[in-house]
Amino acid sequence: MIVSFISLGCDKNRVNTEQMMALCLQSGMTVQEDCAGSDVVVVNTCGFIDSAKLEAIETILSVAELKAAGRVGKILVTGCLSQRYQAELLEELPEVDGIMGTGSYGDIVSAVEQVAAGQKFSHFADISGPVEELPRVISTPMHYAYLRIAEGCSNRCAYCIIPALRGKYRSRRMEDILTEAKALSDSGVKECIVIAQDITRYGIDLYKEKKLPELLRELCKLDFHWIRLHYLYPDSITDALIDTIASEPKICKYMDIPIQHCNDTILQAMRRRETNAGLHQLFTKLRSRIPGLVLRTTVITGLPYEDEAAFEELCDFLQEEKIQRAGAFPYSPEEGTPAAKMLNRVDSDEAQSRAELVMQLQSQVMDAFNDTRLGTTLEVLCDGFDPQAMAYVGRSYAESPGIDGVIYFTADRDVQSGQFVSVRITGTMDGDLTGEVIETEE
């Protein structure tokens, strides 16, 4: 049987796709990249916000066109969209042959077999049950991979539907994480990207204390070159964690800390546990104790209670803090969340306009950061060769794959994907950097 997978949304979702692929391969199925010619196409969806839901539905409909043309057999939908709209999916999208929830990834083989046999399949397990330890294959380039250390979220921010889609926060056992990490390092992974909805709370449920510093120190004993951290919640960043990041050379001095906003009224309404003053203090502390630190964050514009003054406060905050990496997203009222029932809403067009304005302001911060790197020599991980740019492309510790800029560079000799090289930065180009190899190292 031939199966293909489409993974949408975040890299946490990607890991689930990789697990399903591994289970299908172990069962003797053939997994191929191209949908055409597949007996079953599995679409692992995101259902977090309106834009993600729209992308998921459009993807399903595009696969349905292939099905109608006889180029694919059956369609199986998994992930957050199916978890969120269990009843509606099969009714409103009759092209779909089966659905599974976010607690059922381990059932992928039986689901594919039943769907391929012409049976309608619908299965939703407990989304707050223990994290199921599953094998996985790597779908990223072999030199970097994501390591998921926990599932779900218990923060229950007022605007977020994630706990209803992924369940309560559940840490994986440290020994299971380290076994998987050892397999990744043994396979040649150079950059291990530690992910969860909130990695700062790792261990609090299993061990009754935050264990991220200990886990990171154990990961640093493995044969990784870089260890990158996504996502750290500001209210749970401890001195022990800061000391670990500062003292371990393998840990990238790069912290992804989603703040969402800085106005105290909005933060309180959103059930965030930070304050404007506290965020300023945190960033000051981090920069003083971790030299060379690069910060990434995300903010939401148009949240309930965001009047003009609150929006100006957000813009002032970002310009004052000069966070090098940031994304801004317009607020999407999600049914089933407390925020969706709040008054004092901002018009959706205005929310979008504010997000665009934030990104315009933020581009100036990022350009200024890039200017400070001109003439410096950076350690760069090569991601491959870009034939359109006629240059190699890679990243320093300051760029996470897929969300930040890249570094285009030239070299007098071949540079392999996954190789670390020293690049002298000579210019900037549309938010990216350009440079030339002055020395190559493994």
Side-chain angles (χ1 to χ4, degrees), residues 276 279-284 287 295 316-324 365:
N276 183 297
L279 290 171
H280 278 300
Q281 292 168 6
L282 173 64
F283 291 144
T284 298
R287 284 170 165 149
L295 291 169
D316 291 343
F317 180 94
L318 292 172
Q319 289 184 296
E320 180 180 350
E321 286 296 340
K322 293 181 171 52
I323 297 171
Q324 296 96 328
V365 174

Side-chain angles (χ1 to χ4, degrees), residues 63-300:
V63 178
E65 292 180 1
L66 294 176
K67 179 183 176 183
R71 300 180 65 192
V72 304
K74 305 291 184 179
I75 303 173
L76 175 64
V77 178
T78 68
C80 290
L81 188 75
S82 55
Q83 182 68 43
R84 189 169 185 180
Y85 299 106
Q86 301 177 20
E88 295 90 341
L89 260 181
L90 289 176
E91 179 179 343
E92 298 184 14
L93 293 172
E95 302 91 343
V96 173
D97 301 287
I99 56 174
M100 293 196 323
T102 57
S104 306
Y105 293 114
D107 300 319
I108 185 62
V109 171
S110 60
V112 168
E113 290 174 343
Q114 290 186 45
V115 164
Q119 304 173 31
K120 285 286 184 181
F121 185 89
S122 178
H123 184 60
F124 295 86
D126 181 9
I127 62 172
S128 287
V131 179
E132 193 172 8
E133 294 297 328
L134 301 172
R136 62 184 283 209
V137 296
I138 303 303
S139 62
T140 52
M142 287 305 298
H143 57 276
Y144 72 86
Y146 296 91
L147 180 66
R148 186 167 193 160
I149 65 172
E151 176 62 276
C153 185
S154 297
N155 289 323
R156 298 199 173 276
C157 301
Y159 54 84
C160 183
I161 196 67
I162 290 295
L165 304 182
R166 290 284 182 169
K168 66 181 182 181
Y169 192 86
R170 289 106 66 213
S171 302
R172 295 175 62 194
R173 296 188 309 167
M174 191 176 298
E175 54 265 40
D176 292 330
I177 296 171
L178 294 175
T179 296
E180 180 180 352
K182 177 67 162 54
L184 292 175
S185 66
D186 289 348
S187 71
V189 169
K190 305 290 183 63
E191 179 182 12
C192 175
I193 307 173
V194 179
I195 59 170
Q197 194 67 27
D198 175 3
I199 66 172
T200 43
R201 284 181 172 77
Y202 171 73
I204 196 72
D205 53 321
L206 278 184
Y207 307 112
K208 309 309 176 189
E209 60 179 313
K210 296 169 184 173
K211 287 281 194 177
L212 183 60
E214 180 181 335
L215 174 62
L216 292 177
R217 289 193 295 271
E218 292 300 314
L219 289 174
C220 287
K221 297 176 183 178
L222 299 175
D223 194 24
F224 297 120
H225 193 85
W226 283 347
I227 295 172
R228 191 180 298 276
L229 309 180
H230 292 275
Y231 304 89
L232 303 108
Y233 272 52
D235 68 295
S236 294
I237 297 175
T238 63
D239 285 337
L241 178 57
I242 296 171
D243 289 341
T244 300
I245 295 171
S247 63
E248 290 287 356
K250 289 185 178 182
I251 299 179
C252 293
K253 306 317 181 235
Y254 173 108
M255 298 176 70
D256 191 331
I257 306 174
I259 64 170
Q260 312 305 4
H261 215 280
C262 68
N263 174 267
D264 287 345
T265 299
I266 294 175
L267 290 171
Q268 184 176 13
M270 295 300 106
R271 299 181 182 173
R272 303 284 292 191
R273 290 175 286 273
E274 305 88 43
T275 63
N276 183 297
L279 290 171
H280 278 300
Q281 292 168 6
L282 173 64
F283 291 144
T284 298
K285 177 197 284 190
L286 291 174
R287 284 170 165 149
S288 69
R289 291 173 57 178
I290 307 176
L293 178 65
V294 169
L295 291 169
R296 162 167 272 283
T297 196
T298 52
V299 298
I300 304 174

Side-chain angles (χ1 to χ4, degrees), residues 6-7 27 86-87 125 149 152 184 233 346 375 398 403:
I6 299 173
S7 188
S27 73
Q86 301 177 20
I149 65 172
L184 292 175
Y233 272 52
V346 176
I403 56 174

